[in-house]
Amino acid sequence: MYPEIISKMAFSKAHKDLLLKLYNKEITRREYDRLVQELYEPIPQPVEKK
Protein backbone atom coordinates (compact mmCIF):
# COMPACT_ATOMS: atom_id res chain seq x y z
CA MET A 1 0.00 0.00 0.00
CA TYR A 2 1.14 3.45 -0.79
CA PRO A 3 0.16 6.60 1.11
CA GLU A 4 -2.11 7.73 -1.78
CA ILE A 5 -4.11 4.51 -1.49
CA ILE A 6 -4.24 4.85 2.29
CA SER A 7 -5.85 8.27 1.88
CA LYS A 8 -8.61 6.71 -0.24
CA MET A 9 -9.14 3.84 2.23
CA ALA A 10 -9.39 5.94 5.38
CA PHE A 11 -12.77 6.63 6.98
CA SER A 12 -11.52 9.70 8.84
CA LYS A 13 -8.36 11.63 9.72
CA ALA A 14 -7.85 9.49 12.84
CA HIS A 15 -8.24 6.31 10.81
CA LYS A 16 -5.78 7.61 8.20
CA ASP A 17 -3.23 8.26 10.95
CA LEU A 18 -3.64 4.70 12.22
CA LEU A 19 -3.24 3.27 8.71
CA LEU A 20 -0.07 5.27 8.19
CA LYS A 21 1.34 4.07 11.52
CA LEU A 22 0.56 0.49 10.52
CA TYR A 23 2.14 1.03 7.07
CA ASN A 24 5.27 2.48 8.67
CA LYS A 25 5.36 -0.44 11.16
CA GLU A 26 5.02 1.90 14.13
CA ILE A 27 2.17 -0.28 15.46
CA THR A 28 1.29 -3.95 15.02
CA ARG A 29 -1.83 -5.24 13.31
CA ARG A 30 -3.20 -6.29 16.70
CA GLU A 31 -2.72 -2.75 18.07
CA TYR A 32 -4.30 -1.30 14.91
CA ASP A 33 -7.36 -3.56 15.26
CA ARG A 34 -7.79 -2.63 18.93
CA LEU A 35 -7.47 1.10 18.25
CA VAL A 36 -9.93 1.01 15.34
CA GLN A 37 -12.39 -0.90 17.51
CA GLU A 38 -12.08 1.75 20.24
CA LEU A 39 -12.34 4.55 17.69
CA TYR A 40 -15.52 3.34 16.02
CA GLU A 41 -17.28 1.44 18.80
CA PRO A 42 -20.42 3.35 19.70
CA ILE A 43 -20.46 4.75 23.20
CA PRO A 44 -23.63 3.69 25.02
CA GLN A 45 -25.78 6.64 25.98
CA PRO A 46 -27.21 6.66 29.50
CA VAL A 47 -30.96 6.13 29.67
CA GLU A 48 -32.76 9.14 31.08
CA LYS A 49 -35.19 8.35 33.86
CA LYS A 50 -38.41 10.29 33.93
Side-chain angles (χ1 to χ4, degrees):
M1 285 192 302
Y2 295 103
E4 303 88 44
I5 295 172
I6 289 174
S7 294
K8 293 178 183 178
M9 290 175 49
F11 303 129
S12 66
K13 172 82 170 96
H15 186 232
K16 180 181 175 183
D17 292 341
L18 289 175
L19 285 169
L20 286 171
K21 284 182 179 183
L22 182 63
Y23 176 76
N24 292 326
K25 298 182 181 176
E26 295 173 21
I27 59 174
T28 64
R29 178 59 192 243
R30 178 175 274 170
E31 290 172 315
Y32 166 80
D33 289 340
R34 181 183 56 80
L35 291 168
V36 168
Q37 185 70 21
E38 288 176 7
L39 185 64
Y40 291 106
E41 185 175 291
I43 301 170
Q45 297 296 324
V47 177
E48 293 183 23
K49 295 182 181 180
K50 293 182 179 181

